[in-house]
Amino acid sequence: MNARRATLIRLPLAAAICLAMAAPAMAQDTGQPTPPDTTSSTKQKATTLSVVTVTAQKRTENLQKVPISMDVLATDQLEALHVKSFDDYVKYLPSVTFQQGGGGIATGPGFVSIYMRGVTSGGNTNHSGSQPSVGVYLDDQPVTTIQGPLDIHMYDIARIEVLAGPQGTLYGASAEAGALRIITNKPDPSGYAASYSLGVDTLAHGGIGYTGEGMLNLPINSTAAIRLVGWREHDAGYIDNKAGSRTFPTSGITISNAPGCTASGSSSSSASQCVGHAKDNYNDANITGARAALKVDLDDNWSITPMLMGQQTISHGNFASDPAVGDLAVTHFYPERVNDRWWQGALTVQGKIGNFDLTYAYAHLKRNQEEQTDYSDYGFWYDALYGSGASFYDNNGALVNPSQHISDRDGYTNSSHELRLVSPADDRLRLVAGAFWQKQKHDIMQNYQVDGLADVLSVSGWNDTIWLTRQMRYDRDEALFGELSWDFIPDVLTGTIGERYYRTSNQLYGYFGYGAGFSSSQGEAACVSPDPFMGAPCLDFNKKVKESGNLTKFNLTWNISDTKMIYATRSEGFRPGGVNRRGTLLPYHADFLINQELGWKTSWLDNRVSFNGAVFRETWNDFQFPILGANGLTEIKNANSARIEGLESQLNWQASYNLQLTAGWAMYRARLTANYCGFTDASGRPITDCPPGSLNPQDGSVVSGPLAPKGTQLPITPKFKGNLIAHYSFNIGDSDAFVQAALVHVGKRTTDLRLSERALLGDLPAYTTLDLSAGVQKGSWSADVYINNAFDKRSAQYKYTECGVDVCGAHGVVTSYPNGQVYTGYSLPRTIGIRFKQEF
């Protein structure tokens, strides 16, 4: 038996042993119950798995009858797991991984890229990258911007539905690898309801945080109600910005962030400069938000539900650590702050045309992000390697501190419409059909500043600006879609065929580059129009790409009995192509994912046990690979093809009326099926034949071989990820109580597709964490305590360098960084908290 196969066998065996102690408390693709109800000691205890209904296929169905590999987290599960944000629930989703930030810019809340089933190339992820490969939805409305999805505070949420695998026919462009749906609780005209929750927590090595939440459901009359929800959260910091200094080789200028430091002079060319201030626990965040929804039943068949939701997150500092500085520590010099605020207005109209259900879903999302970022690493490493500091001087000709800091302003607007018809669920021939239209706008401004920079070197009209990006991006998506199901044998054998016809376009235009004082093919030297562009000196490029095509889906479902079902699916997903932020590069093409899947959903022992799962093979063709290129700009090129093979499975057991055990795990084998050479042909298609000594057709340079040869493992996703939870409820007098243990294991992951970059960044080690909680409930009030990451594990989630691995990851330039300056982002340190809740 080879070592790899032995490892795969040992991991599930270890999971089975741990199952005796713990298992996940979630409705993972099953009809499993929420954690045993503790709202009243008089309520009947569950002895079987309850039915969970979902709307993943655009109609209300029993989750056990949906032929899709899914995870579902319901309201009680979200509360029992103390879920407040994306980071809290993603660890309980075996099919989901993520990466934060991009190029060292903005690594805090709201800057996350979500991946499913190992469909990830790693590389750089930020606002100027590809569209996401996983679609995130709030109810029926998309909430994914180019930067990534909204990190919505999880309160008064009915459930989270996670659909693994391509969902192209029903969900379209941004559901190439899967879809994640957040379903809110709706206004209820049947009666008044209210609740509030107060919590406080403390982080090991960090500060104290708190959360306050409230909900009010107000019936207006028997056919209308309004639901109001609000929250305020303070997340304590745990990264220390330690005092330190840095001397630039070319100029000899030293910068310091030590408290009380003083400069030897007032000008930017002083030999010693005090910039910024050291501070402990400096990466805190404050989150404030609200949601208001109105539901009006016009008659027995028609209703309208408008909703308005908004949130603001103000965060400080950097959320990753520099190991050379210390544990959970960095030494940064310039202000780091993000103000991420958004609101979404949505309208859902539901009714009937004959016996068909009609739904119209509209949403308008507005998101604005203002960022200040320390970029001093960039200036230091380019100076240390290339002596670039000699190019930065003031109006008197004296060299200045070449550190850079960035002021960003990104404005996102997303408008979407969906109209669909759904035939009755009990018909032998069933139809879901509709039309979708979406327009996204991204207003980009990035101002890279060097204090005291000479006017002749600055971008015209922008003082101290060495580089300016001022661009507009538009992404449009139009589609017609439908799925038709036919019961070959009623209640036994069903076939489904789906199709989506799409048309997409991406346009990017504006200004990017240096001022006129630099000899460059980018910036003012490359103006194609003398007229200013949105405050920038000119327009230096304008490009647009259009694509169209179709996606298909085939499914055959066999209901062996009322409690056992198997299915086979072939489905497709895609991600649109687009224009590169560096306008001189070729546009990138759409990539496609083809999925072949065999799944099962079964219940046993009179519905006390469920065992579900799926095995699959996915082929990812011409996938888009973003890297951090020259000048720290994202470059996107189509790479070759990859294959992902995997197993996803869930086991749920209602062991007794008070003991619930569940488990979920996933195993993946994700590898390249052709060489990645790093360059394309003249049409932008990837070249896979690049033996050592051959020439790069783009620049004529001699190549040393593929950057990642055939068989290379795809990054970010582990070969194994699993979670286990045990939830035990009991009585204390006339009160209900519970204890819960949650175990999460994530295997070793690689950091980059390219072997040289991977060697410099290093791997992300495997880790296992344990969360513990206990609570008591009496009547309308409850209180619980919890310890997350009980053993204070440093669980590495991502790694990056600020200016590209070829520069910041260079070896042996300075003794303090013999292996390059690489940051690591970790999950939260040990967190101890208490929460009080009351319902009315």
Side-chain angles (χ1 to χ4, degrees):
M1 181 182 294
N2 63 45
R4 185 188 67 83
R5 180 172 174 81
T7 301
L8 292 178
I9 291 175
R10 285 196 299 269
L11 287 171
L13 179 60
I17 294 172
C18 293
L19 182 59
M21 300 174 58
M26 57 187 165
Q28 288 182 316
D29 196 12
T30 72
Q32 84 171 58
T34 58
D37 198 340
T38 59
T39 57
S40 171
S41 58
T42 62
K43 290 189 177 180
Q44 177 141 11
K45 305 293 185 180
T47 57
T48 62
L49 302 176
S50 62
V51 174
V52 174
T53 59
V54 297
T55 54
Q57 296 190 120
K58 307 290 187 178
R59 63 169 80 237
T60 301
E61 300 172 286
N62 180 349
L63 189 146
Q64 282 295 93
K65 299 297 183 180
V66 178
I68 298 176
S69 181
M70 288 181 62
D71 294 321
V72 176
L73 296 176
T75 301
D76 290 347
Q77 297 161 333
L78 295 170
E79 292 185 1
L81 295 169
H82 297 92
V83 168
K84 295 187 292 185
S85 65
F86 173 79
D87 289 353
D88 295 327
Y89 64 79
V90 69
K91 59 185 177 182
Y92 298 105
L93 304 174
S95 63
V96 181
T97 54
F98 72 97
Q99 187 177 10
Q100 273 193 310
I105 302 176
T107 60
F111 295 87
V112 63
S113 297
I114 304 175
Y115 310 115
M116 283 189 185
R117 285 189 168 178
V119 181
T120 170
S121 59
N124 185 55
T125 58
N126 64 22
H127 67 91
S128 59
S130 307
Q131 289 201 40
S133 63
V134 174
V136 179
Y137 298 81
L138 180 65
D139 296 319
D140 274 329
Q141 292 81 10
V143 290
T144 302
T145 63
I146 302 302
Q147 174 64 69
L150 306 179
D151 192 356
I152 298 171
H153 181 82
M154 294 288 105
Y155 180 67
D156 194 46
I157 300 298
R159 64 186 180 276
I160 298 174
E161 299 179 5
V162 181
L163 292 64
Q167 307 296 323
T169 51
L170 290 184
Y171 291 93
S174 287
E176 178 182 36
L180 191 154
R181 306 179 68 230
I182 301 169
I183 311 299
T184 61
N185 287 320
K186 304 302 186 293
D188 182 6
S190 65
Y192 168 85
S195 66
Y196 70 89
S197 174
L198 301 172
V200 64
D201 58 72
T202 179
L203 272 66
H205 322 283
I208 296 175
Y210 62 83
T211 304
E213 305 159 319
M215 180 278 295
L216 182 63
N217 185 86
L218 289 172
I220 299 173
N221 53 41
S222 61
T223 61
I226 187 170
R227 195 177 190 96
L228 305 174
V229 183
W231 56 89
R232 168 71 176 180
E233 176 185 345
H234 172 69
D235 294 338
Y238 56 91
I239 300 289
D240 295 338
N241 187 13
K242 293 192 172 182
S245 62
R246 169 174 276 171
T247 301
F248 291 87
T250 300
S251 63
I253 293 173
T254 297
I255 58 174
S256 173
N257 70 346
C261 64
T262 57
S264 60
S266 58
S267 74
S268 58
S269 59
S270 299
S272 178
Q273 297 178 28
C274 183
V275 291
H277 297 285
K279 181 182 179 181
D280 289 345
N281 307 328
Y282 89 131
N283 65 322
D284 62 350
N286 293 295
I287 303 164
T288 306
R291 183 174 79 241
L294 171 69
K295 183 178 182 182
V296 179
D297 295 326
L298 303 176
D299 56 28
D300 292 340
N301 294 324
W302 288 87
S303 68
I304 59 173
T305 307
M307 183 176 75
L308 182 63
M309 183 176 182
Q311 182 174 289
Q312 181 180 44
T313 301
I314 298 177
S315 59
H316 303 93
N318 190 290
F319 286 72
S321 175
D322 183 347
V325 177
D327 180 40
L328 301 178
V330 296
T331 296
H332 281 188
F333 301 93
Y334 292 89
E336 295 177 290
R337 182 181 186 271
V338 176
N339 184 353
D340 182 7
R341 58 191 185 276
W342 58 266
W343 63 267
Q344 184 188 62
L347 174 67
T348 302
V349 179
Q350 295 175 303
K352 284 187 175 295
I353 298 180
N355 61 351
F356 278 63
D357 293 323
L358 180 141
T359 301
Y360 169 69
Y362 164 76
H364 182 77
L365 171 66
K366 182 72 174 179
R367 183 183 190 183
N368 290 296
Q369 293 175 322
E370 297 174 359
E371 309 156 31
Q372 293 176 286
T373 306
D374 179 286
Y375 215 43
S376 57
D377 291 355
Y378 182 95
F380 172 77
W381 283 87
Y382 268 91
D383 189 29
L385 286 172
Y386 307 121
S388 62
S391 301
F392 299 92
Y393 51 85
D394 61 19
N395 287 329
N396 297 318
L399 294 180
V400 298
N401 165 21
S403 291
Q404 294 186 30
H405 52 98
I406 310 173
S407 296
D408 300 19
R409 191 172 64 246
D410 293 287
Y412 303 92
T413 304
N414 186 345
S415 294
S416 65
H417 304 261
E418 180 172 305
L419 180 68
R420 66 176 182 270
L421 280 171
V422 179
S423 66
D426 54 0
D427 285 355
R428 188 173 183 180
L429 180 65
R430 297 178 298 281
L431 173 70
V432 176
F436 178 80
W437 179 91
Q438 179 178 246
K439 179 181 178 181
Q440 298 185 73
K441 174 185 175 182
H442 181 192
D443 185 346
I444 308 168
M445 191 286 288
Q446 289 198 321
N447 181 1
Y448 294 71
Q449 297 170 287
V450 175
D451 292 340
L453 189 67
D455 293 340
V456 69
L457 298 179
S458 300
V459 175
S460 297
W462 297 73
N463 292 335
D464 297 339
T465 297
I466 183 66
W467 179 285
L468 177 68
T469 300
R470 192 70 183 94
Q471 298 174 343
M472 293 293 293
R473 172 174 175 168
Y474 288 94
D475 291 88
R476 294 174 174 86
D477 181 13
E478 302 167 351
L480 296 173
F481 63 89
E483 287 192 359
L484 189 66
S485 298
W486 168 256
D487 294 335
F488 295 107
I489 305 175
D491 300 323
V492 177
L493 187 65
T494 301
T496 299
I497 181 171
E499 191 86 12
R500 188 179 190 97
Y501 296 92
Y502 65 85
R503 184 170 60 190
T504 67
S505 68
N506 172 265
Q507 182 179 15
L508 184 65
Y509 60 93
Y511 178 92
F512 75 103
Y514 298 104
F518 281 87
S519 176
S520 172
S521 61
Q522 302 160 134
E524 293 188 57
C527 287
V528 298
S529 167
D531 299 325
F533 173 77
M534 300 184 70
C538 64
L539 182 76
D540 60 9
F541 84 106
N542 185 352
K543 291 186 176 182
K544 185 176 185 178
V545 296
K546 294 183 177 181
E547 296 172 309
S548 61
N550 68 290
L551 304 169
T552 59
K553 173 184 176 180
F554 302 97
N555 172 269
L556 187 65
T557 300
W558 178 23
N559 291 291
I560 302 171
S561 68
D562 288 342
T563 59
K564 296 172 181 61
M565 175 258 279
I566 61 174
Y567 67 88
T569 297
R570 184 192 184 277
S571 58
E572 297 178 340
F574 88 110
R575 181 170 48 170
V579 178
N580 269 289
R581 174 183 171 191
R582 187 191 300 275
T584 54
L585 296 177
L586 291 170
Y588 52 94
H589 299 277
D591 57 16
F592 294 86
L593 186 69
I594 301 173
N595 173 57
Q596 300 175 79
E597 179 175 328
L598 179 65
W600 63 93
K601 295 189 175 182
T602 62
S603 298
W604 307 81
L605 301 179
D606 296 324
N607 201 34
R608 292 179 58 192
V609 175
S610 68
F611 175 54
N612 303 329
V615 293
F616 65 88
R617 170 182 283 186
E618 294 182 340
T619 302
W620 194 16
N621 293 321
D622 292 345
F623 63 85
Q624 298 165 14
F625 183 32
I627 66 170
L628 201 63
N631 309 117
L633 288 185
T634 301
E635 299 179 1
I636 307 168
K637 298 178 183 179
N638 288 91
N640 46 338
S641 60
R643 178 178 296 155
I644 303 100
E645 299 167 326
L647 164 68
E648 298 163 345
S649 194
Q650 306 87 30
L651 177 66
N652 309 277
W653 180 23
Q654 190 70 44
S656 66
Y657 75 89
N658 57 358
L659 177 61
Q660 177 186 319
L661 303 173
T662 58
W665 62 93
M667 292 181 287
Y668 299 111
R669 186 176 186 270
R671 298 182 180 276
L672 293 180
T673 53
N675 293 332
Y676 169 62
C677 295
F679 47 84
T680 65
D681 61 20
S683 66
R685 297 297 179 183
I687 292 176
T688 60
D689 185 18
C690 50
S694 59
L695 298 180
N696 182 334
Q698 293 179 341
D699 59 16
S701 61
V702 179
V703 301
S704 58
L707 302 181
K710 176 181 177 180
T712 299
Q713 179 181 342
L714 297 185
I716 308 302
T717 299
K719 294 180 180 179
F720 176 86
K721 180 181 179 182
N723 47 58
L724 310 167
I725 295 181
H727 186 101
Y728 184 82
S729 60
F730 56 96
N731 298 117
I732 301 177
D734 60 351
S735 300
D736 292 330
F738 78 92
V739 293
Q740 180 173 281
L743 191 72
V744 173
H745 177 80
V746 177
K748 177 182 175 181
R749 295 135 292 151
T750 59
T751 49
D752 199 287
L753 181 67
R754 300 160 294 177
L755 298 188
S756 58
E757 282 74 6
R758 179 184 299 182
L760 290 169
L761 287 172
D763 291 331
L764 299 169
Y767 64 86
T768 302
T769 60
L770 177 66
D771 297 344
L772 303 170
S773 60
V776 62
Q777 183 163 5
K778 183 176 181 179
S780 65
W781 66 266
S782 64
D784 55 348
V785 296
Y786 58 94
I787 305 175
N788 290 340
N789 192 6
F791 298 108
D792 197 26
K793 294 287 187 179
R794 293 291 174 270
S795 306
Q797 304 295 325
Y798 57 92
K799 291 186 177 182
Y800 71 89
T801 61
E802 188 173 272
C803 51
V805 184
D806 58 331
V807 181
C808 289
H811 284 271
V813 177
V814 288
T815 56
S816 59
Y817 291 105
N819 296 312
Q821 190 171 5
V822 177
Y823 292 85
T824 302
Y826 298 102
S827 58
L828 287 177
R830 180 174 56 243
T831 306
I832 301 175
I834 184 170
R835 179 179 61 186
F836 176 83
K837 180 180 179 181
Q838 189 172 14
E839 298 178 346
F840 303 92

